[in-house]
Amino acid sequence: MPFADQAEIGGFAVGEERTDAASAEQLAQRYRSLVEHTPDAICVHESGTIVYVNPAMVRLLGAGSADDLLGLSITVFVHPDSVAPMLERINQLTAEGSASPPAEMDLVRLDGRTVPVQTVSVLTVWQEKLAFQVVVHDLTAQRAAEASARQAEAYFTTVVSQLEEGVLVVDRRGRLESINPAGKRILGIEESEPVLGCDINDLPVTMVDRDGRPLSPNRHPMAHTLATGEAVTQFVFGVERTDGRQVWLSCNCRLLNPENPESAGVSSFADITAYRASKRQLEYQATHDALTGLANRSLILSQLSAALADDGGTLVTTVLFIDLDGFKAINDTLGHAIGDMVLQIVAQRLQQALRSEDLVGRLGGDEFLVLLAGHPQRADLPALVERLRVTMAEPIIASGHRLEVSASVGITELGPHEHRTPEAVLHDADLAMYRDKPSAHRELGLGQNRRSNNTHAS
């Protein structure tokens, strides 16, 4: 018969039958190789008896070889708590090829150790009989990682809850995901008040900037971080709480996961109210006279230097140097305590007689300086000086003593393109003041004697 290898037998070509058989065998070999080398454990049980295990299953159950497992009941290696759910799952498989949904359970190794696994059972044909092929994935590493993550989360939650610094997390929509106890305490929010899920701008606080002006939501550092992904550090702003107290905060904001632009934002903030007040107090003490509260020599020279640098601006145009006549006699006869009271009253009178924009300072001893702001008319200066003389000449009552002091006033004006230094301006005003002193004082040399008691105020 020609082309016998191509002859049709029963409607099929002999050559085609041989090719199909070879392909099927080749496919079966590949499948067996895959099963033998897959990292997931695979077993086949028929009527509850194990008839096949791959090497991964042998390792998973802690056996020496497949022979240690074949012929044993599958339930020997299933934790008692997992047997009933397993049987229920496989009993629902009635059609060949049907598979159970992935399920987690516990297996028991030969050494008695429990192994968490995820299994999928498939009803299949094994040596011409229905059997269950089970794919088993070891969850030990995953469970360890999850436990480690839970432990780390619990650890950091505990740490964050114990911080004195406030910490809050805001999602992409600006809604509060979490806030620690310190955060609520700093913001004046009751511990029991539910704020999670609310918009950060709806928190029961009013935010203000460094100058005390309302801080709009788009100027809040968290808004900037969520919009741009950029971190913000040491942003200072104020919070007006519902209890009426105002606190100042130093805030840092960044994305919780900088690698993910869609990440939530985390903000940490510290209450710097006391620090800020202390810093302001130190700054005040460094620039003001401790006795009178007026500007001290340092602040006067600083303001005068700024005015000279303004080159014809309107910061300061006229300097008045004021010295009290007869103050030394008060100090010598009544003591420094009475003298200090006199200086305090004179300082108050000077401030009340001048505008708020004028700077009144005490150089030391009984010497005062006034920096007049703006451009006063030259014709107004004599009237201003006379008003100051009259004000300070009014009787002073100090500890039952009726005292009178007069003042000598020296004037120097700052011209456009002024080239003098602040010290030179003070020197010229001092000379002008000395020329203004009563002639008898100049002849007795009291102008020089006053300087012997002139200790600079701090």
Side-chain angles (χ1 to χ4, degrees):
M1 180 170 55
F3 306 107
D5 57 337
Q6 302 261 336
E8 292 186 1
I9 300 178
F12 294 95
V14 174
E16 291 177 0
E17 185 177 284
R18 290 175 180 173
T19 301
D20 291 344
S23 297
E25 178 61 25
Q26 187 178 33
L27 184 60
Q29 288 289 349
R30 289 177 180 174
Y31 178 74
R32 282 192 291 270
S33 177
L34 177 63
V35 170
E36 291 291 314
H37 294 92
T38 182
D40 281 333
I42 296 176
C43 77
V44 178
H45 60 91
E46 179 186 328
S47 299
T49 301
I50 299 174
V51 295
Y52 170 80
V53 290
N54 71 341
M57 191 68 176
V58 173
R59 293 192 297 270
L60 179 65
L61 295 179
S65 67
D67 293 337
D68 296 335
L69 305 175
L70 297 180
L72 298 176
S73 172
I74 188 65
T75 57
V76 172
F77 302 101
V78 178
H79 191 277
D81 294 340
S82 300
V83 172
M86 178 195 72
L87 294 177
E88 182 179 354
R89 286 193 301 274
I90 64 176
N91 286 337
Q92 294 177 358
L93 305 179
T94 57
E96 182 182 342
S98 59
S100 66
E104 294 185 5
M105 58 187 294
D106 290 329
L107 295 184
V108 180
R109 289 164 44 98
L110 288 176
D111 58 11
R113 184 163 64 88
T114 300
V115 182
V117 297
Q118 183 184 65
T119 66
V120 174
S121 298
V122 180
L123 184 60
T124 186
V125 175
W126 177 265
Q127 296 182 353
E128 300 182 355
K129 294 181 181 180
L130 289 176
F132 294 100
Q133 177 175 292
V134 187
V135 179
V136 184
H137 178 65
D138 188 354
L139 297 178
T140 304
Q142 179 181 327
R143 292 283 178 82
E146 291 172 351
S148 178
R150 286 193 299 270
Q151 183 179 10
E153 183 178 359
Y155 172 79
F156 286 112
T157 298
T158 301
V159 170
V160 170
S161 68
Q162 298 301 314
L163 289 176
E164 290 298 318
E165 190 176 51
V167 178
L168 58 82
V169 177
V170 180
D171 68 15
R172 299 299 304 179
R173 297 179 300 168
R175 299 190 180 278
L176 190 65
E177 288 189 346
S178 68
I179 182 170
N180 69 340
K184 280 192 167 185
R185 184 179 67 252
I186 292 171
L187 297 178
I189 301 173
E190 292 293 334
E191 183 62 33
S192 59
E193 185 172 353
V195 292
L196 298 186
C198 77
D199 192 285
I200 188 173
N201 296 311
D202 294 333
L203 290 175
V205 295
T206 301
M207 292 177 286
V208 297
D209 62 18
R210 288 174 181 263
D211 299 320
R213 296 172 299 192
L215 187 69
S216 60
N218 62 341
R219 290 176 59 206
H220 191 279
M222 180 59 78
H224 177 82
T225 295
L226 291 176
T228 66
E230 298 175 353
V232 178
T233 59
Q234 296 181 342
F235 183 90
V236 175
F237 66 100
V239 168
E240 295 175 354
R241 307 184 342 173
T242 55
D243 60 6
R245 183 184 170 204
Q246 185 180 69
V247 296
W248 290 94
L249 309 180
S250 177
C251 172
N252 299 317
C253 295
R254 53 164 287 171
L255 293 182
L256 198 59
N257 179 9
E259 302 299 324
N260 178 13
E262 297 302 314
S263 168
V266 58
S267 173
S268 60
F269 49 95
D271 185 348
I272 60 169
T273 307
Y275 167 77
R276 195 170 187 266
S278 175
K279 182 180 178 183
R280 288 197 165 201
Q281 181 65 23
L282 289 174
E283 291 173 348
Y284 181 87
Q285 292 173 351
T287 56
H288 289 76
D289 174 45
L291 177 64
T292 63
L294 299 179
N296 64 8
R297 184 183 186 88
S298 173
L299 182 56
I300 290 170
L301 290 174
S302 174
Q303 294 292 319
L304 190 52
S305 177
L308 293 171
D310 193 39
D311 194 19
T314 59
L315 293 177
V316 175
T317 55
T318 307
V319 178
L320 306 181
F321 198 117
I322 302 172
D323 181 77
L324 303 183
D325 299 324
F327 178 75
K328 183 177 184 300
I330 294 174
N331 252 352
D332 291 345
T333 58
L334 299 178
H336 288 282
I338 299 297
D340 287 347
M341 293 178 64
V342 171
L343 292 174
Q344 290 171 336
I345 293 172
V346 168
Q348 292 173 3
R349 290 181 178 181
L350 281 173
Q351 287 181 304
Q352 293 168 359
L354 294 163
R355 302 167 300 174
S356 60
E357 59 265 34
D358 298 326
L359 179 67
V360 182
R362 179 185 175 217
L363 291 176
D366 60 349
E367 296 177 338
F368 296 86
L369 200 78
V370 176
L371 306 183
L372 296 178
H375 290 285
Q377 297 295 321
R378 182 180 294 270
D380 295 337
L381 285 176
L384 171 63
V385 171
E386 183 59 27
R387 186 169 77 249
L388 293 177
R389 292 185 197 278
V390 172
T391 297
M392 287 184 287
E394 293 177 359
I396 295 174
I397 306 301
S399 295
H401 298 279
R402 180 184 176 89
L403 307 171
E404 294 183 3
V405 294
S406 60
S408 298
V409 182
I411 304 173
T412 184
E413 297 179 78
L414 305 185
H417 310 297
E418 183 68 63
H419 297 296
R420 286 179 294 175
T421 64
E423 291 78 5
V425 172
L426 260 62
H427 177 70
D428 290 345
D430 187 14
L431 291 179
M433 178 277 301
Y434 181 62
R435 288 193 295 270
D436 185 60
K437 276 193 171 293
S439 58
H441 284 199
R442 290 198 298 270
E443 290 171 1
L444 292 173
L446 295 181
Q448 285 79 8
N449 289 340
R450 65 180 173 80
R451 288 177 177 78
S452 65
N453 295 327
N454 187 13
T455 56
H456 293 305
S458 60

